[in-house]
Amino acid sequence: MIGLRKDGFHNLESFFQAINLGDELTFSLSSKDEFISNDATLRFDNDNFIYQALQLFRNKTNNFSPVRIVLDKKIPKEAGLGGGSSNVATTLWGLNQLCNSAIDIAQLQEWSKEISSDAPFFFSNGSAICEGRGEIISDVKTPNVNSNIWIVKPPYSLSTKEVYLYSKKESKISDSLQILLDKVYSRKPVLENDLEEAAFMICPRLALLKDELEYQGFKQVFMTGSGSAYVCIGNHKPKFENPVQIFPIQYISRTHTKWYQGTHNAIT
């Protein structure tokens, strides 16, 4: 995070990586609009990113064919894992394929930022530097990680808006973007998140969670996005009692003509 913009957003310089913990979305033509999800708390209205992406696609293409959308929700909410933003991108991609539209990737990417600053990332190859509000994307190579990677999600969540409100205007991390990238691609990657300080102010338990993961022997521990989940890198599994969720993950990528694939948890 490198400064506050005039529009109230923060300017970012951040490395984003797609992982194989993803919601699964299925699209089919129907006689009427339908939305089915394993998460009963989700309503199909203007507060739903999938609904917003559907309406955006229709407004841009004038294609109002009724669709059936099935969501298998796997990404924890308010965890800093980009679940809503990935749903925006996946919906635009899926509808474009379903309706045999000829909208190119760059155009879909441009449309997606009208809903979410993070959504354009998912039109990258899966590894990218994100700048501006997060919508300026530069593809980079996927890092090699020689240890297991784990997502640890505590039973409490954080609001992205609140975390940014508590965050400082300028980052504590003063390294240049190239130095940060060198750390990401080193044999022992150094990964940091300067939103942690604001998250700790809102939820001190998160600092205790990080301390516990470090006590368990993980050398790399950092918060995902605006939290509340943590990434830790190490060959042993984190040990917690329920209801802490633990997800083994892998980095994934995509080619220009296909969406994300890899394992049964990949974004589809």
Side-chain angles (χ1 to χ4, degrees):
M1 193 167 57
I2 58 173
L4 190 64
R5 298 156 53 104
K6 292 181 179 180
D7 58 10
F9 288 89
H10 287 78
N11 274 315
L12 305 179
E13 283 185 348
S14 184
F15 173 77
F16 281 30
Q17 175 60 53
I19 60 174
N20 67 336
L21 173 61
D23 298 340
E24 293 187 359
L25 279 159
T26 305
F27 305 91
S28 57
L29 295 174
S30 180
S31 60
K32 63 177 181 179
D33 283 344
E34 296 179 88
F35 176 72
I36 300 170
S37 175
N38 61 336
D39 185 343
T41 67
L42 291 177
R43 300 178 60 183
F44 201 50
D45 57 20
N46 281 323
D47 292 327
N48 185 316
F49 271 6
I50 297 171
Y51 178 87
Q52 291 181 39
L54 172 62
Q55 301 310 317
L56 178 66
F57 183 83
R58 286 173 166 169
N59 291 337
K60 298 291 189 181
T61 63
N62 290 317
N63 188 327
F64 295 92
S65 300
V67 294
R68 184 176 189 262
I69 301 175
V70 180
L71 168 66
D72 183 2
K73 185 68 180 167
K74 297 181 179 181
I75 303 175
K77 297 177 184 176
E78 295 187 325
L81 291 167
S85 297
S86 69
N87 287 167
V88 171
T90 302
T91 299
L92 292 174
W93 170 276
L95 293 173
N96 195 44
Q97 298 293 309
L98 179 68
C99 299
N100 294 316
S101 301
I103 311 303
D104 63 29
I105 291 292
Q107 187 63 74
L108 293 173
Q109 187 178 56
E110 185 70 17
W111 291 352
S112 72
K113 70 182 183 183
E114 296 184 26
I115 299 175
S116 165
S117 296
D118 292 342
F121 159 72
F122 293 95
F123 292 99
S124 73
N125 65 14
S127 305
I129 295 299
C130 301
E131 300 176 86
R133 293 180 352 205
E135 85 286 7
I136 302 172
I137 311 299
S138 301
D139 283 342
V140 295
K141 67 179 181 179
T142 302
N144 291 320
V145 179
N146 296 320
S147 298
N148 293 333
I149 311 172
W150 309 88
I151 296 286
V152 177
K153 171 63 174 70
Y156 40 87
S157 301
L158 289 175
S159 161
T160 298
K161 182 178 180 180
E162 188 175 11
V163 171
Y164 275 100
L165 285 174
Y166 272 77
S167 65
K168 295 181 178 179
K169 293 182 179 180
E170 300 293 337
S171 171
K172 293 193 307 179
I173 301 172
S174 57
D175 291 338
S176 69
L177 182 57
Q178 186 57 54
I179 290 175
L180 291 174
L181 277 176
D182 290 343
K183 290 180 177 180
V184 170
Y185 293 110
S186 67
R187 293 185 63 186
K188 294 182 178 180
V190 178
L191 302 165
E192 303 171 273
N193 185 342
D194 59 9
L195 291 176
E196 283 186 1
E197 183 177 357
F200 293 166
M201 292 173 62
I202 297 167
C203 183
R205 288 180 293 176
L206 272 179
L208 298 177
L209 175 62
K210 183 172 184 176
D211 289 344
E212 173 60 27
L213 288 167
E214 291 176 340
Y215 177 77
Q216 290 187 23
F218 291 98
K219 302 301 183 183
Q220 287 295 317
V221 181
F222 59 97
M223 194 175 72
T224 58
S226 57
S228 62
Y230 261 86
V231 176
C232 54
I233 299 176
N235 288 325
H236 59 290
K237 182 180 179 180
K239 295 182 179 179
F240 288 93
E241 299 294 331
N242 289 334
V244 173
Q245 295 175 284
I246 300 171
F247 304 93
I249 63 142
Q250 298 173 356
Y251 292 167
I252 61 172
S253 60
R254 71 172 196 88
T255 63
H256 184 74
T257 58
K258 295 186 180 297
W259 207 234
Y260 294 94
Q261 299 178 13
T263 74
H264 66 283
N265 280 332
I267 299 169
T268 57

